[in-house]
Amino acid sequence: MRFEIKLAIKNIKGHWGRSAALFALAALLACSIFGGSIIIRSLQNGLRSYEKRLGADIIVIPEEAAGEGTFESILLQGIPGYFYMDMDVLEAIRGLEGVKAASPQFYLASASSGCCDTLVQIIGFDPDSDFSVKPWILENYGKMINDGDVIVGSDIRIPENKSFRFYNVECRAVAKLGKTGTGLDSAIYADMNTIQRMMESADKIGFDYFESVEPENAVSSVLIDVTDGYEVRDVARKINLEFEGVRAISSKDMVSGISEGLSGVSKVVGGLIVFIWGLSIAVLIVSFNMIVNERVGELALLRIIGGTKKMLAGVLLWETIIISVGGGLLGNALASLVIISFSDILRDALKVPLLLTNGWIIGIVFLFSVLVSTIVCVLTSVIAANRITSKDTALILREGL
Amino acid sequence: MNLSAKNVSFKYYGKKKKKPIFELCSTSLDVPEGKLTAIIGHSGSGKSTLLSILAGVLRPEKGDVTVGNVDIYSLSDRERSFYRNKNIGVIPQGNSSLKHLTVFENISLPYEMYGDGVPRENIDAILRQFGLIELSDEPACGLSGGEQRRLAIVRAIVRKPSIILADEPTGDLDEDNRKNVLSELKKMTMSGTTVLMVTHDKEAEGYADQVFKMENGVLL
């Protein structure tokens, strides 16, 4: 091993307090750029996945579901909920100009009592008219589900016997959907027949979900695909004018609302990164200068026993590289652990979709942030190292080591 | 190997760099091979500055320094550093060690610096001679002032350099160790080593083959 590296390691070990402080700063630098970038990318990724999973131009829901945010809570936070309107709305919408296709969805929150195995959001769809869920099911399962089959969101654990019971209706889990970073990851999808049986059974055993609507005539939302050439917002406006008690929301408006919130979050995260970097760089410059002043005698000693200026700079440089790479790796490892462990909590706290970005992107950002923080540490230490190596050894000797 | 300086001069400037705060006047000096030469003088008289110039760590404004037949300031920093490592042992003023390294690691530094093998037995023998063998694996930060001084001496002489430049080598030492160090330096001259020491120590003069006095940057 080269002398400079060997001595750098001994110096790091010998001054563990000083090294630990620099290590922590390097960790903070790397962690802030890595953590911040991954969170921002994951938010963008979540938003993209949310938009894809909605899969419709317009969603029509009962007015009260839109007002109280029930619908958004189901989609974004996975809080089980239910709301119903009369099936007549579906037929009326199908007859509207500009509506290419309309398909119903049924939302049923499972109960925590003995009739249900687990508390989840159950979403029913009509396989004949659906254009929103079917593509995802075909992608993950390869075929359509049968009566009594369910497909589960990525956050739901499938039991060994693959069986779920909701309102005393037995279902078989046939596949798991990919992660979306939204509340839909904790939902279960069933076809129309299955969910109708659950709804009727729920009604029979005393769950008063349906109020004035008959379970067999109840529908939670209508997903609309707008005919090419028609403005989505115009069709939504028309529905809102013509139908009482319902709210038509365009997917773009839903996404752009979240996107605005997301841009605010991104600004806060970006601001935090800039603040941490500014503070850390200032602390690094001061620290390296203090350390170098403290080590003037040490380096002068190496000079008089035959060390070249290049060798001295090499020792300082290797110390910085070892500390900043080590600190960067540790900082990023901690940031990864926190982000992976708490991404769901973060999603719920921010109330936005958050889907962790691809592994290879995480890897690239991981290495990039270690590299950037190492470069910053090296640059700040070079300023201090240059000062010390240009200082006359004789002056130091004259002052006394 | 003899050491000579011809008409070397140097000025230290204050922070504003207008007026020199110290001036080493044109100085010439011959330190003959195998002799112990002493320069005595008060603090601030220029002894350490002259020593630094002779050691090759302070380029004089004028004049030449020759070690053997080599004009050391004609060498590059790398060449001069390498030359110093192999041929010149410097005992600086004060406690000079890397405090977090052990005594042995401090002594090994001149060898390790250029990838030379560390002769454990030789080092142990010299540590024993200077009463440091028991402290060999102790970190230098735990040594007393006298022990630190002895460590600096051992590190300077361990490679058996041709020339030894010692700045107050007996400072911080008790009577026995002072005599031991001076005798050792004297003994080294017997085997051809050239020794130059700058000192306040009147007793050290008694060991020297030639003595110079320095006052206000002038060698008398």
Side-chain angles (χ1 to χ4, degrees):
Chain A
M1 196 191 290
R2 281 178 64 168
F3 169 74
E4 288 92 327
I5 302 175
K6 229 158 116 176
L7 187 58
I9 293 170
K10 284 181 183 172
N11 288 345
I12 290 168
K13 282 185 188 165
H15 299 285
W16 64 268
R18 179 176 82 194
S19 307
L22 291 172
F23 199 79
L25 269 176
L28 188 66
L29 273 175
C31 162
S32 64
I33 195 170
F34 172 73
S37 309
I38 293 298
I39 288 173
I40 290 172
R41 286 198 75 97
S42 299
L43 288 171
Q44 290 167 342
N45 206 22
L47 191 66
R48 271 196 298 272
S49 124
Y50 180 64
E51 198 174 358
K52 266 193 196 171
R53 187 57 70 93
L54 283 175
D57 294 327
I58 298 169
I59 297 165
V60 181
I61 51 174
E63 191 140 35
E64 65 273 15
E68 291 165 13
T70 317
F71 182 55
E72 216 171 76
S73 301
I74 293 171
L75 294 187
L76 296 178
Q77 292 163 270
I79 299 170
Y82 56 89
F83 42 84
Y84 302 101
M85 52 191 180
D86 203 284
M87 185 78 88
D88 294 347
V89 176
L90 173 65
E91 288 312 317
I93 287 173
R94 277 181 176 151
L96 278 180
E97 193 186 346
V99 175
K100 186 174 157 189
S103 179
Q105 281 198 344
F106 308 88
Y107 295 151
L108 184 63
S110 67
S112 50
S113 61
C115 62
C116 299
D117 285 344
T118 177
L119 183 66
V120 289
Q121 179 68 49
I122 307 162
I123 301 176
F125 64 98
D126 170 21
D128 295 334
S129 61
D130 178 78
F131 53 86
S132 158
V133 183
K134 218 156 63 177
W136 295 98
I137 291 179
L138 290 175
E139 190 181 308
N140 289 275
Y141 185 44
K143 57 184 177 182
M144 265 320 289
I145 54 176
N146 295 318
D147 189 9
D149 290 346
V150 290
I151 279 216
V152 304
S154 63
D155 289 351
I156 291 176
R157 201 179 62 83
I158 300 176
E160 268 183 35
N161 63 3
K162 298 192 173 180
S163 168
F164 284 107
R165 190 165 50 95
F166 297 113
Y167 299 104
N168 295 328
V169 175
E170 289 291 336
C171 308
R172 191 173 68 98
V174 292
K176 197 176 240 197
L177 291 171
K179 197 161 176 68
T180 64
T182 68
L184 300 176
D185 291 335
S186 47
I188 280 181
Y189 293 86
D191 71 2
M192 205 164 173
N193 291 338
T194 312
I195 198 138
Q196 281 290 353
R197 279 195 281 127
M198 288 181 200
M199 287 161 81
E200 280 161 19
S201 173
D203 192 41
K204 273 181 202 162
I205 56 177
F207 288 92
D208 186 20
Y209 293 148
F210 309 98
E211 296 172 357
S212 56
V213 187
E214 286 298 318
E216 60 274 19
N217 288 326
V219 60
S220 299
S221 67
V222 176
L223 284 90
I224 299 172
D225 189 14
V226 171
T227 314
D228 292 346
Y230 282 83
E231 273 297 319
V232 171
R233 285 197 176 97
D234 289 345
V235 177
R237 200 174 301 122
K238 199 171 168 190
I239 295 169
N240 285 328
L241 284 172
E242 287 187 19
F243 296 87
E244 262 187 37
V246 301
R247 172 79 62 85
I249 314 163
S250 79
S251 302
K252 279 201 170 57
D253 285 344
M254 285 178 71
V255 171
S256 71
I258 297 165
S259 179
E260 276 166 26
L262 214 159
S263 131
V265 173
S266 300
K267 275 181 193 158
V268 172
V269 173
L272 263 175
I273 294 175
V274 171
F275 175 74
I276 291 172
W277 271 66
L279 192 71
S280 302
I281 289 171
V283 174
L284 275 175
I285 291 172
V286 173
S287 308
F288 279 124
N289 271 294
M290 281 169 64
I291 289 166
V292 154
N293 284 338
E294 186 191 305
R295 300 179 63 183
V296 160
E298 190 181 306
L299 294 168
L301 174 66
L302 291 173
R303 264 310 258 157
I304 60 166
I305 61 174
T308 61
K309 286 183 178 179
K310 204 176 153 191
M311 204 180 267
L312 263 56
V315 173
L316 292 173
L317 197 68
W318 275 109
E319 279 183 44
T320 312
I321 289 173
I322 293 168
I323 287 173
S324 49
V325 169
L329 290 174
L330 181 79
N332 283 358
L334 285 175
S336 308
L337 200 71
V338 169
I339 291 172
I340 291 167
S341 309
F342 298 104
S343 64
D344 288 346
I345 294 172
L346 194 66
R347 182 193 72 193
D348 292 344
L350 296 173
K351 294 182 179 166
V352 288
L354 188 141
L355 180 61
L356 279 182
T357 192
N358 288 339
W360 64 271
I361 291 181
I362 292 179
I364 288 172
V365 178
F366 190 103
L367 294 176
F368 176 76
S369 54
V370 172
L371 182 73
V372 170
S373 68
T374 302
I375 289 171
V376 168
C377 288
V378 166
L379 286 179
T380 48
S381 79
V382 159
I383 300 166
N386 185 47
R387 212 165 54 80
I388 197 172
T389 50
S390 61
K391 188 167 180 177
D392 220 319
T393 308
L395 272 174
I396 302 160
L397 294 176
R398 190 167 175 254
E399 288 159 10
L401 296 174
Chain B
M1 207 181 269
N2 68 319
L3 169 68
S4 74
K6 268 190 194 149
N7 304 320
V8 291
S9 61
F10 190 83
K11 291 188 194 92
Y12 281 115
Y13 289 89
K15 280 190 177 167
K16 288 182 181 171
K17 298 198 171 178
K18 283 183 182 169
K19 269 185 171 177
I21 52 168
F22 170 79
E23 185 173 356
L24 177 73
C25 300
S26 181
T27 300
S28 294
L29 170 75
D30 274 313
V31 183
E33 182 175 350
K35 299 288 179 196
L36 198 160
T37 300
I39 300 175
I40 55 166
H42 296 296
S43 294
S45 60
K47 305 185 301 287
S48 296
T49 301
L50 179 61
L51 197 88
S52 296
I53 290 172
L54 295 173
V57 292
L58 179 65
R59 183 181 285 278
E61 285 171 6
K62 284 179 189 163
D64 303 311
V65 175
T66 314
V67 178
N69 296 318
V70 179
D71 175 0
I72 58 169
Y73 286 103
S74 67
L75 304 175
S76 66
D77 176 59
R78 194 179 161 277
E79 291 166 335
R80 195 164 59 248
S81 299
F82 184 74
Y83 190 83
R84 187 164 54 244
N85 178 270
K86 305 288 179 205
N87 299 294
I88 305 173
V90 182
I91 304 165
Q93 220 172 21
N95 296 335
S96 61
S97 64
L98 298 193
K99 306 283 188 291
H100 55 285
L101 301 189
T102 65
V103 168
F104 183 82
E105 285 170 333
N106 265 285
I107 308 294
S108 308
L109 279 173
Y111 290 98
E112 292 198 16
M113 196 167 260
Y114 287 97
D116 300 335
V118 179
R120 177 97 217 189
E121 283 179 14
N122 289 0
I123 292 177
D124 283 351
I126 200 162
L127 282 174
R128 196 168 292 114
Q129 187 186 340
F130 279 83
L132 292 172
I133 190 69
E134 300 296 330
L135 302 168
S136 179
D137 295 324
E138 295 298 320
C141 59
L143 303 186
S144 68
E147 287 162 347
Q148 290 269 6
R149 201 83 205 104
R150 279 182 277 155
L151 165 60
I153 294 164
V154 172
R155 190 185 52 226
I157 66 175
V158 71
R159 298 204 78 163
K160 298 188 172 56
S162 310
I163 291 167
I164 288 174
L165 302 174
D167 198 348
E168 302 288 358
T170 54
D172 294 329
L173 294 180
D174 58 26
E175 189 61 30
D176 287 348
N177 275 311
R178 212 161 79 215
K179 281 186 177 157
N180 184 18
V181 166
L182 290 170
S183 306
E184 188 56 33
L185 290 175
K186 184 70 185 169
K187 210 192 303 173
M188 288 180 82
T189 61
M190 312 281 188
S191 55
T193 307
T194 306
V195 179
L196 171 68
M197 65 175 168
V198 298
T199 182
H200 287 107
D201 188 351
K202 291 279 178 195
E203 198 184 326
E205 286 179 50
Y207 288 81
D209 295 306
Q210 60 173 349
V211 178
F212 293 95
K213 199 174 177 192
M214 194 144 201
E215 272 181 18
N216 300 322
V218 179
L219 191 69
L220 304 171

